[in-house]
Amino acid sequence: MIEMFDERIVEAGRLPLFGFFVAFLVTFVLTRVNVRLIRANVRWWFRNVTAGDLHIHHVVFGVVLMLLGGVGSLAVPDAYVGLNVAAAVVFGTGSALVLDEFALILHLSDVYWTEKGRASVDAVFVAIAVTGLLLLGIRPLGYEGIAPDPGTGILTRVYVASLVVNLVFAVITLLKGKIWTGLIGLFVPALLIVGAVRVARPGSPWSRWRYAPDSRKYQRAVRRERLFRRPLIQAKIWVQEFIAGRHDLIPPELLQRRTEAAERARRRLARAERKAAARAERRGGRRSERRAARRAATDGERGAVPRAQRTAAKWAERRAEARTQRRTPSRGRAASPARTRAASRRRRRGPEEEPPPGPQPGERARPG
């Protein structure tokens, strides 16, 4: 193992790159452990770095470390291998901190634990894969053992032609939505050929430009996405969540839109209530005006006599009418029930039952 390290890393001059790779991996793992413990609100662990109400993200420290490491690697002479390795370690540490919040830089929003935050983990995985391939000695955009010569011979033409072809295939593969195939294909050109020939992913720029929604290519792309691509994506998400934590929070912009929608609904409701109150007030005012107008018209017709006097005069008139009716003899009134029964009996007795002439019982005899 030590001999392989000396042969593939030290003697090949890749020791600074190895320091960058190790520092990048260690920093990313420690950063994810730190943020997951902070998210879990563990009492004995650190908290977010703040300056008053300002949350200072670790991308700020990453930018500073990248600047120090980059300037240091440029300022240190090549003979000082140890200093070059130290500068590469500082640069790798800063790069891990920056790429860990790549989604924040991309969206200009704190989407660290949301679905969009997976872009940071993807960027870190791409950086790890590219750096690992460089450590293995695989050169991008060319074939192993072929390099341009200072002349204008056949070797230079072959290298330039392969470079152009690989770049064209890489661009086509990326436009078809195959990010990993395009990036790794820069080191393994055979992958670029496969990615450029096969159908594009649904939703990619190539698919929008070249495939109609009812075409056979688009249907085949959808079928392959469902059968092959989706299980791979689920497996990748599982690995990412195992390493970096779950990205399941609601995006801040969605929360902002919900808050704004609730505020607009509250304002509309308050505006409707104010309009209803004003409408009811106007209706009440109109009714009061109509009542007042009717009262004024009635008072004008009656000589503007106060209401109390009108009521007293009305009751006095009614009492007078009642007294007049009581004093008037009952002419034409219906006979009482007793008189009606007596008249009926007299009609039934007839003339034979007429009482004899002379004084009746209870009457005095008239003198002869």
Side-chain angles (χ1 to χ4, degrees):
M1 183 66 69
I2 297 177
E3 294 179 357
M4 183 182 297
F5 180 81
D6 292 337
E7 180 183 354
R8 302 298 298 269
I9 302 298
V10 179
E11 295 179 2
R14 302 191 185 105
L15 189 59
L17 183 61
F18 179 78
F20 169 87
F21 183 73
V22 174
F24 188 91
L25 280 177
V26 173
T27 304
F28 171 70
V29 172
L30 293 180
T31 302
R32 280 293 168 166
V33 171
N34 177 59
V35 295
R36 292 182 70 174
L37 291 176
I38 291 175
R39 186 187 185 187
N41 199 18
V42 179
R43 295 182 179 179
W44 49 270
W45 196 249
F46 302 100
R47 294 293 181 268
N48 290 322
V49 180
T50 57
D53 295 335
L54 178 63
H55 175 206
I56 301 177
H57 295 269
H58 50 268
V59 66
V60 178
F61 303 101
V63 170
V64 174
L65 291 176
M66 286 182 66
L67 181 63
L68 293 176
V71 173
S73 63
L74 295 175
V76 173
D78 295 338
Y80 296 92
V81 180
L83 294 178
N84 283 326
V85 173
V89 168
V90 174
F91 190 82
T93 303
S95 300
L97 294 176
V98 170
L99 289 183
D100 188 57
E101 291 198 319
F102 174 77
L104 184 146
I105 303 173
L106 179 63
H107 298 283
L108 294 179
S109 178
D110 190 4
V111 294
Y112 194 84
W113 291 116
T114 65
E115 188 69 23
K116 295 180 180 178
R118 298 185 190 277
S120 299
V121 186
D122 291 335
V124 170
F125 281 16
V126 168
I128 293 174
V130 171
T131 308
L133 292 174
L134 290 174
L135 277 176
L136 295 177
I138 303 175
R139 294 180 303 172
L141 300 176
Y143 296 100
E144 187 69 22
I146 298 179
D149 56 350
T152 57
I154 188 64
L155 196 61
T156 302
R157 295 194 185 98
V158 171
Y159 180 80
V160 172
S162 66
L163 181 65
V164 173
V165 171
N166 288 339
L167 284 176
V168 172
F169 284 166
V171 171
I172 295 175
T173 304
L174 293 175
L175 288 177
K176 288 188 174 183
K178 304 172 183 180
I179 308 299
W180 278 96
T181 305
L183 293 176
I184 300 178
L186 296 175
F187 299 88
V188 185
L191 292 178
L192 292 179
I193 299 175
V194 175
V197 171
R198 294 176 68 85
V199 293
R201 296 185 59 191
S204 62
W206 189 277
S207 175
R208 293 196 300 268
W209 298 338
R210 309 275 300 180
Y211 300 162
D214 55 349
S215 62
R216 295 180 58 185
K217 287 187 177 181
Y218 184 79
Q219 299 298 329
R220 186 170 57 184
V222 172
R223 185 168 57 255
R224 288 183 178 180
E225 184 80 12
R226 184 177 63 255
L227 295 179
F228 303 106
R229 182 78 182 182
R230 190 169 298 174
L232 293 177
I233 292 176
Q234 294 297 329
K236 185 196 72 171
I237 291 175
W238 183 86
V239 174
Q240 290 180 347
E241 290 183 350
F242 177 77
I243 297 174
R246 296 186 60 180
H247 298 77
D248 54 359
L249 292 184
I250 300 177
E253 59 270 17
L254 181 57
L255 287 177
Q256 182 67 21
R257 287 198 295 269
R258 290 183 179 178
T259 304
E260 293 175 356
E263 182 65 20
R264 288 195 298 269
R266 187 188 64 81
R267 291 178 181 177
R268 286 196 298 268
L269 180 60
R271 193 181 304 114
E273 290 178 352
R274 288 196 299 268
K275 289 182 179 180
R279 194 180 301 111
E281 185 177 357
R282 287 195 299 270
R283 290 178 180 175
R286 292 171 185 172
R287 291 175 183 174
S288 301
E289 291 177 358
R290 287 196 295 267
R291 291 174 184 173
R294 286 196 299 268
R295 289 176 183 175
T298 305
D299 292 342
E301 292 176 358
R302 297 180 180 181
V305 180
R307 185 175 181 180
Q309 295 181 7
R310 293 198 305 271
T311 305
K314 187 183 296 184
W315 280 107
E317 184 179 355
R318 290 181 180 178
R319 286 195 294 269
E321 291 178 357
R323 285 195 296 269
T324 303
Q325 291 177 0
R326 286 196 297 270
R327 292 175 183 176
T328 302
S330 57
R331 295 177 181 177
R333 290 183 179 180
S336 64
R339 293 180 180 180
T340 304
R341 287 193 296 271
S344 300
R345 285 195 297 272
R346 284 195 298 270
R347 285 194 297 270
R348 285 196 298 270
R349 284 196 298 267
E352 66 277 6
E353 295 182 1
E354 289 290 333
Q360 296 295 328
E363 294 184 358
R364 294 180 180 180
R366 293 181 181 180

